[in-house]
Amino acid sequence: MLFDNDTGKTMKLFGSLTSPYVRKARLVLLEKNIRHECLIGAEKSEILSVNPLGRIPALILDDGFCVFDSTVIAEYADTLNDAPILIPRTDTRARLRVKRWEALADGIMDSAIVVRNERMRPLEQQNATTLATHNKAVTEAVDYASQLLGERQWCEGEAITLADLALVSALIYLDLRQAERDWRSTHQNLAVWFSKVSALPSVIASSVA
Ligand SMILES: N[C@@H](CCC(=O)N[C@@H](CS)C(=O)NCC(=O)O)C(=O)O
């Protein structure tokens, strides 16, 4: 297979199969056909040796330079080729809208992860205020995403962008960790959009090692 960066070397993406941030970064690499190897389940010490924050995703370039976090990886990867352009380059308002979609999706991920971590604690130690605050943030953000999307095919413009990749990553994570949250029945436009985007080859590929 020919990749856009077919230099014979391979970028390495430290990741996991469940992290929504990793999925977003992988989706960008996959959509842009950028050769990479996804390293699933690396030891914390190995991740710390490349990213002082110890977080994934972390992308190691051919020369050993480590790029983190998912937002920076997406921004960098988008500069590598134009097929497709995932972050608009000339229309500054369109670019702003895409970056705001990304922030909205990342916010859903952030709050869903806080809820997940809280729920992992023994029941008597779970903080009800934290749970309520972050569940509400997810609810409001999903409502907002549905309103923003309206009846459009894609989050921004007439083709796939980072906005779609970030949002699908957030919603897949919600399905994984909050299956009881029935966002489809209350947001049918999102459900229609999701069934199309989640069937993309890149999204299917992002679920396997
Ligand atoms: N804002 C970061 C968030 C990355 C993040 O928090 N990743 C989680 C996995 S979902 C992680 O590595 N957690 C381990 C830790 O914080 O020690 C990004 O967009 O990449």
Side-chain angles (χ1 to χ4, degrees), residues 19-178:
S19 164
Y21 312 102
V22 169
R23 188 184 299 276
K24 178 178 57 156
R26 277 188 93 183
L27 287 178
V28 170
L29 297 172
L30 288 163
E31 277 296 322
K32 294 183 74 75
N33 201 21
I34 293 168
R35 180 200 287 270
H36 67 284
E37 183 186 348
C38 197
L39 305 173
I40 303 291
E43 294 292 333
K44 187 77 171 180
S45 57
E46 207 180 342
I47 296 166
L48 274 167
S49 73
V50 294
N51 177 359
L53 299 169
R55 294 186 190 143
I56 51 172
L59 180 70
I60 314 299
L61 306 187
D62 295 352
D63 63 0
F65 186 91
C66 179
V67 187
F68 54 87
D69 60 14
S70 65
T71 307
V72 184
I73 294 170
E75 186 118 29
Y76 165 71
D78 199 44
T79 65
L80 296 180
N81 66 47
D82 294 351
I85 292 174
L86 292 173
I87 306 174
R89 293 177 188 166
T90 49
D91 180 340
T92 51
R93 183 50 67 99
R95 181 182 180 86
L96 183 58
R97 283 194 297 265
V98 166
K99 295 295 286 178
R100 191 176 67 159
W101 268 112
E102 184 184 24
L104 186 72
D106 284 4
I108 294 172
M109 300 173 195
D110 295 344
S111 280
I113 286 172
V114 171
V115 169
R116 156 83 176 162
N117 290 342
E118 202 59 30
R119 284 187 183 154
M120 296 290 280
R121 292 154 63 90
L123 200 54
E124 65 280 6
Q125 289 177 23
Q126 293 181 18
N127 185 313
T129 307
T130 301
L131 284 170
T133 301
H134 287 278
N135 270 322
K136 184 167 184 295
V138 171
T139 302
E140 300 280 351
V142 171
D143 286 351
Y144 191 81
S146 172
Q147 282 172 35
L148 265 188
L149 179 67
E151 298 310 315
R152 284 202 305 278
Q153 292 281 308
W154 303 101
C155 291
E156 169 62 33
E158 303 302 320
I160 196 164
T161 66
L162 175 63
D164 301 284
L165 303 181
L167 186 61
V168 78
S169 301
L171 292 176
I172 289 171
Y173 187 74
L174 275 191
D175 283 348
L176 175 70
R177 299 297 189 214
Q178 301 192 11

